[in-house]
Amino acid sequence: MAFYGGFFMYQIAYISYASEVFDPEADDGIDDILKSAKSHNKDLGITGMLLFKGGVFLQILEGEKEAIEKLYGKIALDLRHEGLKLLVKQEASERIFQDWTMGFKLINEVDLDLINTILPWKSIIEDTKNRKRISKDKILQIFKEFRYQMGKEK
């Protein structure tokens, strides 16, 4: 077990799909998710990053196991998400996003090229829908690349 700042560090990453009730362009779309996450995550000691492309959410969360599992449970009940699938669930020796309450990246074509060098985006989607195992190391590498590109503070 990895002990970090007084507790055992825990990480999860998941993929989900925007449901019909979610409109990323609406006032209560992505911005609402990010405002809420930044506020609540700070209070709970949770850090992470959300990637979004074409109705697909890919997110990593880090923090105390109980807080992460509780938050993941709330996300699973959130009507804006469907098809939620856990890709990474592990203890970690350190945070990837130690200074971020919640980073965000709306994936564009340049970003997609970067992701595809690590793990093809289409294969992430197809493999999760077909219940195939995806390399957790590659999922974590995707988040680490964006963390590196975007800098320290978010």
Side-chain angles (χ1 to χ4, degrees):
M1 291 188 139
F3 196 69
Y4 181 89
F7 59 89
F8 292 101
M9 174 58 62
Y10 193 67
Q11 290 174 327
I12 65 166
Y14 71 87
I15 190 169
S16 69
Y17 302 89
S19 71
E20 290 182 10
V21 301
F22 180 74
D23 179 1
E25 302 300 322
D27 289 339
D28 62 348
I30 294 284
D31 287 340
D32 186 51
I33 290 173
L34 294 173
K35 286 177 191 172
S36 176
K38 287 179 180 183
S39 170
H40 291 101
N41 290 359
K42 184 175 184 178
D43 294 340
L44 298 171
I46 294 173
T47 57
M49 183 172 198
L50 175 64
L51 305 176
F52 185 77
K53 176 169 177 43
V56 179
F57 297 98
L58 188 60
Q59 184 170 34
I60 186 168
L61 299 167
E62 308 171 308
E64 188 174 7
K65 183 176 183 176
E66 184 178 320
I68 295 296
E69 288 181 341
K70 186 175 180 180
L71 178 56
Y72 184 70
K74 287 176 75 174
I75 293 167
L77 297 174
D78 188 329
L79 296 177
R80 296 172 291 192
H81 296 270
E82 60 186 25
L84 199 72
K85 178 158 184 201
L86 202 54
L87 303 174
V88 175
K89 180 179 177 180
Q90 68 180 16
E91 293 167 355
S93 59
E94 62 184 358
R95 291 181 189 259
I96 298 170
F97 302 96
Q98 59 270 14
D99 302 323
W100 299 20
T101 51
M102 184 52 56
F104 174 71
K105 184 73 172 158
L106 183 61
I107 301 299
N108 61 34
E109 290 306 311
V110 173
D111 301 324
L112 194 56
D113 288 344
L114 171 64
I115 291 170
N116 287 335
T117 64
I118 300 167
L119 186 65
W121 181 257
K122 285 183 179 181
S123 112
I124 296 170
I125 294 168
E126 290 171 10
D127 289 352
T128 55
K129 285 184 176 179
N130 294 322
R131 299 178 183 243
K132 292 183 180 176
R133 181 176 286 268
I134 296 175
S135 165
K136 71 179 182 179
D137 292 335
K138 289 186 178 187
I139 293 296
L140 292 172
Q141 185 181 350
I142 289 169
F143 285 108
K144 287 175 183 177
E145 288 293 331
F146 282 107
R147 168 73 168 90
Y148 175 76
Q149 275 191 358
M150 295 174 71
K152 291 188 177 186
E153 296 294 328
K154 271 288 162 211

